[in-house]
Amino acid sequence: MNLGDQFRFTLFTNRPRLAAAADRAGVDRVGPDLELLGKLDRQRGLGTWISNHTEAELPNVFAAVGRARRFVRCNPPHAGLASEIERLLARGAEVIMLPHFHTVPEAEYFARVIDGRALAVLLVETVAAASRVGKLGGIPGIDEIHFGLNDLSLDLGVKPSLAMLSTPLLEDACATLAAQGFPYAVGGIGRAGDASLPVPSDLVYAQYPRLGATGALLSRAFYQDLPEAEFADEVAHARQRLNHWACQPPARLRTAREALRDLVGALASAGVGRR
């Protein structure tokens, strides 16, 4: 199974040079993260990254990519969402992600506003949304669902965030979408073979074929301090490791699940938070 060859990588960036390097490396979606409303209060004290990207940066970032889809994460549902989406479309966005929604009607409204003019991706970050993925996957105009681990773990009350990968909530949600044949992505990944992280990246990679996911964000740990000349090699390496794990028997994947669960449990007991 060539999971890695088909895997969709998404990179948040407002830096044209990084966008161009990611584009050349074969990253599938590239663009700014404009989510700001409510995020600082929601994640205060967690040490998570809060974007400072702006709409004004979209033209320069989008001009730097050719093969990749021009991507942007907008703000959560709010009174000005339709106007925001219209501005993003006018600036050339081809994929728009809606974060931190709770209800099916909010997702339906998002799809109606986009109206097929861009790919519409739902970022599931709340227990309420995760519990309704069967209905979300049936909304006309919704093209994909992505599970965001930081906010989802916050809403569920588990930590560190990678503990979400072995929770019944996420596993059941993924199984529901897999049964529908609906595409979904999960969380973010670091560089393949990076054992310096609190949870070694290879143990995280093993969860993707087990969950049936076919996409992820490239985390800051993936590209931070990475020379542009090495970006393509790291992307290729990531795809190779995903292919490796996709070829493993179910028993091996279950063993990797238990190893991840035990490790994140030990990290939580030691007071290690989200990464």
Side-chain angles (χ1 to χ4, degrees):
M1 177 181 177
N2 293 325
L3 171 64
D5 299 340
Q6 304 166 12
F7 206 80
R8 294 179 303 280
F9 289 133
T10 299
L11 176 69
F12 290 149
T13 185
N14 65 340
R15 295 157 49 192
R17 285 192 58 175
L18 180 58
D23 184 61
R24 292 192 299 270
V27 176
D28 301 280
R29 298 170 181 175
V30 178
D33 174 11
L34 302 181
E35 182 190 4
L36 185 60
L37 295 179
K39 190 168 186 177
L40 181 60
D41 289 338
R42 199 165 64 243
Q43 297 188 1
R44 190 181 301 277
L46 298 181
T48 51
W49 178 72
I50 305 296
S51 173
N52 61 355
H53 302 175
T54 67
E55 288 186 33
E57 295 170 313
L58 287 170
N60 287 338
V61 175
F62 286 170
V65 301
R67 187 201 61 81
R69 291 287 190 102
R70 298 187 294 272
F71 171 91
V72 63
R73 176 160 67 177
C74 65
N75 277 297
H78 65 285
L81 180 62
S83 296
E84 180 179 350
I85 289 173
E86 292 300 330
R87 294 193 304 270
L88 301 179
L89 291 168
R91 290 181 181 270
E94 296 177 302
V95 184
I96 301 178
M97 174 184 279
L98 178 72
H100 210 73
F101 69 98
H102 293 78
T103 69
V104 172
E106 288 174 331
E108 291 173 333
Y109 177 72
F110 173 64
R112 286 198 304 272
V113 172
I114 291 183
D115 193 25
R117 293 174 292 170
L119 291 179
V121 179
L122 297 175
L123 182 59
V124 169
E125 300 181 285
T126 65
V127 173
S131 301
R132 294 173 172 83
V133 292
K135 292 183 178 179
L136 296 174
I139 296 174
I142 295 299
D143 298 289
E144 186 179 313
I145 286 173
H146 191 122
F147 294 96
L149 301 186
N150 279 334
D151 276 321
L152 196 50
S153 66
L154 183 64
D155 202 29
L156 190 61
V158 302
K159 60 182 181 180
S161 60
L162 288 177
M164 283 302 309
L165 292 172
S166 59
T167 58
L169 176 69
L170 182 63
E171 292 173 338
D172 290 348
C174 288
T176 296
L177 293 176
Q180 295 177 349
F182 192 86
Y184 55 97
V186 174
I189 58 171
R191 296 177 210 168
D194 188 349
S196 69
L197 299 168
V199 178
S201 64
D202 208 45
L203 198 53
V204 176
Y205 279 48
Q207 310 310 312
Y208 284 89
R210 182 181 67 79
L211 293 170
T214 56
L217 297 173
L218 296 182
S219 71
R220 282 177 295 156
F222 188 100
Y223 63 83
Q224 199 165 29
D225 301 322
L226 178 64
E228 292 177 9
E230 298 178 17
F231 210 122
D233 288 342
E234 291 296 340
V235 169
H237 190 194
R239 294 192 187 280
Q240 290 166 3
R241 289 309 294 174
L242 288 165
N243 282 338
H244 164 80
W245 281 108
C247 293
Q248 301 306 302
R252 179 72 180 90
L253 297 179
R254 288 194 296 270
T255 298
R257 177 194 185 275
E258 298 310 307
L260 174 77
R261 187 192 62 180
D262 292 346
L263 179 54
V264 296
L267 290 173
S269 298
V272 178
R274 293 169 174 78
R275 76 180 183 98

